[in-house]
PDB file of all heavy atoms in Angstrom:
ATOM      1  N   THR Q 276       8.748   2.897  -7.208  1.00 91.00           N
ATOM      2  CA  THR Q 276       8.417   3.582  -8.449  1.00 91.00           C
ATOM      3  C   THR Q 276       8.332   5.079  -8.177  1.00 91.00           C
ATOM      4  O   THR Q 276       8.286   5.515  -7.017  1.00 91.00           O
ATOM      5  CB  THR Q 276       7.066   3.105  -8.999  1.00 91.00           C
ATOM      6  OG1 THR Q 276       6.038   3.497  -8.082  1.00 91.00           O
ATOM      7  CG2 THR Q 276       7.045   1.588  -9.211  1.00 91.00           C
ATOM      8  N   GLU Q 277       8.256   5.853  -9.241  1.00 94.00           N
ATOM      9  CA  GLU Q 277       8.126   7.305  -9.077  1.00 94.00           C
ATOM     10  C   GLU Q 277       6.854   7.657  -8.310  1.00 94.00           C
ATOM     11  O   GLU Q 277       6.859   8.514  -7.428  1.00 94.00           O
ATOM     12  CB  GLU Q 277       8.122   7.986 -10.448  1.00 94.00           C
ATOM     13  CG  GLU Q 277       8.032   9.485 -10.370  1.00 94.00           C
ATOM     14  CD  GLU Q 277       7.983  10.152 -11.741  1.00 94.00           C
ATOM     15  OE1 GLU Q 277       8.081   9.460 -12.763  1.00 94.00           O
ATOM     16  OE2 GLU Q 277       7.833  11.384 -11.761  1.00 94.00           O
ATOM     17  N   ALA Q 278       5.760   6.962  -8.617  1.00 95.00           N
ATOM     18  CA  ALA Q 278       4.496   7.227  -7.932  1.00 95.00           C
ATOM     19  C   ALA Q 278       4.595   6.854  -6.453  1.00 95.00           C
ATOM     20  O   ALA Q 278       4.112   7.598  -5.587  1.00 95.00           O
ATOM     21  CB  ALA Q 278       3.362   6.453  -8.598  1.00 95.00           C
ATOM     22  N   GLU Q 279       5.211   5.722  -6.140  1.00 95.00           N
ATOM     23  CA  GLU Q 279       5.375   5.320  -4.745  1.00 95.00           C
ATOM     24  C   GLU Q 279       6.246   6.316  -3.988  1.00 95.00           C
ATOM     25  O   GLU Q 279       5.943   6.663  -2.847  1.00 95.00           O
ATOM     26  CB  GLU Q 279       5.996   3.921  -4.666  1.00 95.00           C
ATOM     27  CG  GLU Q 279       5.066   2.824  -5.100  1.00 95.00           C
ATOM     28  CD  GLU Q 279       5.761   1.488  -5.220  1.00 95.00           C
ATOM     29  OE1 GLU Q 279       7.003   1.445  -5.430  1.00 95.00           O
ATOM     30  OE2 GLU Q 279       5.063   0.463  -5.129  1.00 95.00           O
ATOM     31  N   THR Q 280       7.303   6.786  -4.622  1.00 96.00           N
ATOM     32  CA  THR Q 280       8.193   7.761  -3.990  1.00 96.00           C
ATOM     33  C   THR Q 280       7.441   9.050  -3.673  1.00 96.00           C
ATOM     34  O   THR Q 280       7.565   9.609  -2.587  1.00 96.00           O
ATOM     35  CB  THR Q 280       9.406   8.053  -4.885  1.00 96.00           C
ATOM     36  OG1 THR Q 280      10.120   6.830  -5.097  1.00 96.00           O
ATOM     37  CG2 THR Q 280      10.331   9.072  -4.263  1.00 96.00           C
ATOM     38  N   ARG Q 281       6.643   9.515  -4.623  1.00 96.00           N
ATOM     39  CA  ARG Q 281       5.883  10.754  -4.405  1.00 96.00           C
ATOM     40  C   ARG Q 281       4.869  10.568  -3.279  1.00 96.00           C
ATOM     41  O   ARG Q 281       4.748  11.422  -2.399  1.00 96.00           O
ATOM     42  CB  ARG Q 281       5.173  11.198  -5.667  1.00 96.00           C
ATOM     43  CG  ARG Q 281       4.394  12.481  -5.374  1.00 96.00           C
ATOM     44  CD  ARG Q 281       3.929  13.250  -6.541  1.00 96.00           C
ATOM     45  NE  ARG Q 281       4.970  13.527  -7.503  1.00 96.00           N
ATOM     46  CZ  ARG Q 281       4.699  13.997  -8.705  1.00 96.00           C
ATOM     47  NH1 ARG Q 281       3.460  14.240  -9.068  1.00 96.00           N
ATOM     48  NH2 ARG Q 281       5.670  14.225  -9.567  1.00 96.00           N
ATOM     49  N   LEU Q 282       4.140   9.457  -3.306  1.00 96.00           N
ATOM     50  CA  LEU Q 282       3.146   9.235  -2.259  1.00 96.00           C
ATOM     51  C   LEU Q 282       3.829   9.076  -0.899  1.00 96.00           C
ATOM     52  O   LEU Q 282       3.363   9.636   0.093  1.00 96.00           O
ATOM     53  CB  LEU Q 282       2.296   8.009  -2.567  1.00 96.00           C
ATOM     54  CG  LEU Q 282       1.222   7.690  -1.533  1.00 96.00           C
ATOM     55  CD1 LEU Q 282       0.290   8.879  -1.310  1.00 96.00           C
ATOM     56  CD2 LEU Q 282       0.443   6.456  -1.959  1.00 96.00           C
ATOM     57  N   TRP Q 283       4.930   8.351  -0.845  1.00 97.00           N
ATOM     58  CA  TRP Q 283       5.632   8.149   0.419  1.00 97.00           C
ATOM     59  C   TRP Q 283       6.096   9.483   1.017  1.00 97.00           C
ATOM     60  O   TRP Q 283       6.053   9.675   2.226  1.00 97.00           O
ATOM     61  CB  TRP Q 283       6.797   7.186   0.247  1.00 97.00           C
ATOM     62  CG  TRP Q 283       7.509   6.895   1.536  1.00 97.00           C
ATOM     63  CD1 TRP Q 283       8.836   7.067   1.792  1.00 97.00           C
ATOM     64  CD2 TRP Q 283       6.950   6.368   2.748  1.00 97.00           C
ATOM     65  NE1 TRP Q 283       9.127   6.701   3.079  1.00 97.00           N
ATOM     66  CE2 TRP Q 283       7.986   6.264   3.687  1.00 97.00           C
ATOM     67  CE3 TRP Q 283       5.664   5.991   3.131  1.00 97.00           C
ATOM     68  CZ2 TRP Q 283       7.786   5.795   4.980  1.00 97.00           C
ATOM     69  CZ3 TRP Q 283       5.463   5.521   4.417  1.00 97.00           C
ATOM     70  CH2 TRP Q 283       6.514   5.428   5.322  1.00 97.00           C
ATOM     71  N   TYR Q 284       6.484  10.418   0.174  1.00 97.00           N
ATOM     72  CA  TYR Q 284       6.873  11.745   0.664  1.00 97.00           C
ATOM     73  C   TYR Q 284       5.738  12.355   1.491  1.00 97.00           C
ATOM     74  O   TYR Q 284       5.963  12.956   2.531  1.00 97.00           O
ATOM     75  CB  TYR Q 284       7.250  12.675  -0.497  1.00 97.00           C
ATOM     76  CG  TYR Q 284       7.460  14.089  -0.027  1.00 97.00           C
ATOM     77  CD1 TYR Q 284       8.673  14.468   0.557  1.00 97.00           C
ATOM     78  CD2 TYR Q 284       6.441  15.028  -0.106  1.00 97.00           C
ATOM     79  CE1 TYR Q 284       8.852  15.766   1.033  1.00 97.00           C
ATOM     80  CE2 TYR Q 284       6.612  16.313   0.365  1.00 97.00           C
ATOM     81  CZ  TYR Q 284       7.817  16.681   0.934  1.00 97.00           C
ATOM     82  OH  TYR Q 284       7.990  17.950   1.420  1.00 97.00           O
ATOM     83  N   HIS Q 285       4.509  12.186   1.027  1.00 96.00           N
ATOM     84  CA  HIS Q 285       3.355  12.791   1.696  1.00 96.00           C
ATOM     85  C   HIS Q 285       2.848  11.964   2.875  1.00 96.00           C
ATOM     86  O   HIS Q 285       2.195  12.509   3.773  1.00 96.00           O
ATOM     87  CB  HIS Q 285       2.215  13.013   0.702  1.00 96.00           C
ATOM     88  CG  HIS Q 285       2.543  14.032  -0.329  1.00 96.00           C
ATOM     89  ND1 HIS Q 285       2.519  15.387  -0.072  1.00 96.00           N
ATOM     90  CD2 HIS Q 285       2.938  13.904  -1.626  1.00 96.00           C
ATOM     91  CE1 HIS Q 285       2.862  16.049  -1.158  1.00 96.00           C
ATOM     92  NE2 HIS Q 285       3.119  15.171  -2.106  1.00 96.00           N
ATOM     93  N   LEU Q 286       3.115  10.660   2.889  1.00 96.00           N
ATOM     94  CA  LEU Q 286       2.615   9.793   3.953  1.00 96.00           C
ATOM     95  C   LEU Q 286       3.592   9.632   5.115  1.00 96.00           C
ATOM     96  O   LEU Q 286       3.179   9.439   6.252  1.00 96.00           O
ATOM     97  CB  LEU Q 286       2.293   8.401   3.399  1.00 96.00           C
ATOM     98  CG  LEU Q 286       1.192   8.297   2.361  1.00 96.00           C
ATOM     99  CD1 LEU Q 286       1.016   6.841   1.948  1.00 96.00           C
ATOM    100  CD2 LEU Q 286      -0.114   8.881   2.871  1.00 96.00           C
ATOM    101  N   ARG Q 287       4.882   9.707   4.828  1.00 96.00           N
ATOM    102  CA  ARG Q 287       5.885   9.386   5.857  1.00 96.00           C
ATOM    103  C   ARG Q 287       5.876  10.421   6.981  1.00 96.00           C
ATOM    104  O   ARG Q 287       5.424  11.549   6.803  1.00 96.00           O
ATOM    105  CB  ARG Q 287       7.273   9.259   5.239  1.00 96.00           C
ATOM    106  CG  ARG Q 287       7.855  10.545   4.727  1.00 96.00           C
ATOM    107  CD  ARG Q 287       9.179  10.335   4.010  1.00 96.00           C
ATOM    108  NE  ARG Q 287      10.164   9.690   4.840  1.00 96.00           N
ATOM    109  CZ  ARG Q 287      11.047  10.340   5.600  1.00 96.00           C
ATOM    110  NH1 ARG Q 287      11.090  11.641   5.575  1.00 96.00           N
ATOM    111  NH2 ARG Q 287      11.881   9.671   6.350  1.00 96.00           N
ATOM    112  N   ALA Q 288       6.376  10.006   8.110  1.00 96.00           N
ATOM    113  CA  ALA Q 288       6.525  10.885   9.276  1.00 96.00           C
ATOM    114  C   ALA Q 288       5.204  11.560   9.678  1.00 96.00           C
ATOM    115  O   ALA Q 288       5.205  12.713  10.112  1.00 96.00           O
ATOM    116  CB  ALA Q 288       7.620  11.926   9.020  1.00 96.00           C
ATOM    117  N   LYS Q 289       4.117  10.866   9.465  1.00 96.00           N
ATOM    118  CA  LYS Q 289       2.779  11.361   9.860  1.00 96.00           C
ATOM    119  C   LYS Q 289       2.423  12.690   9.209  1.00 96.00           C
ATOM    120  O   LYS Q 289       1.707  13.518   9.781  1.00 96.00           O
ATOM    121  CB  LYS Q 289       2.673  11.462  11.383  1.00 96.00           C
ATOM    122  CG  LYS Q 289       2.849  10.139  12.083  1.00 96.00           C
ATOM    123  CD  LYS Q 289       2.670  10.291  13.582  1.00 96.00           C
ATOM    124  CE  LYS Q 289       2.854   8.955  14.276  1.00 96.00           C
ATOM    125  NZ  LYS Q 289       2.637   9.069  15.728  1.00 96.00           N
TER     126      LYS Q 289
END
Side-chain angles (χ1 to χ4, degrees):
T276 65
E277 182 182 357
E279 289 171 335
T280 300
R281 180 165 309 168
L282 180 56
W283 183 236
Y284 172 81
H285 293 283
L286 296 180
R287 69 185 303 268
K289 299 183 180 182

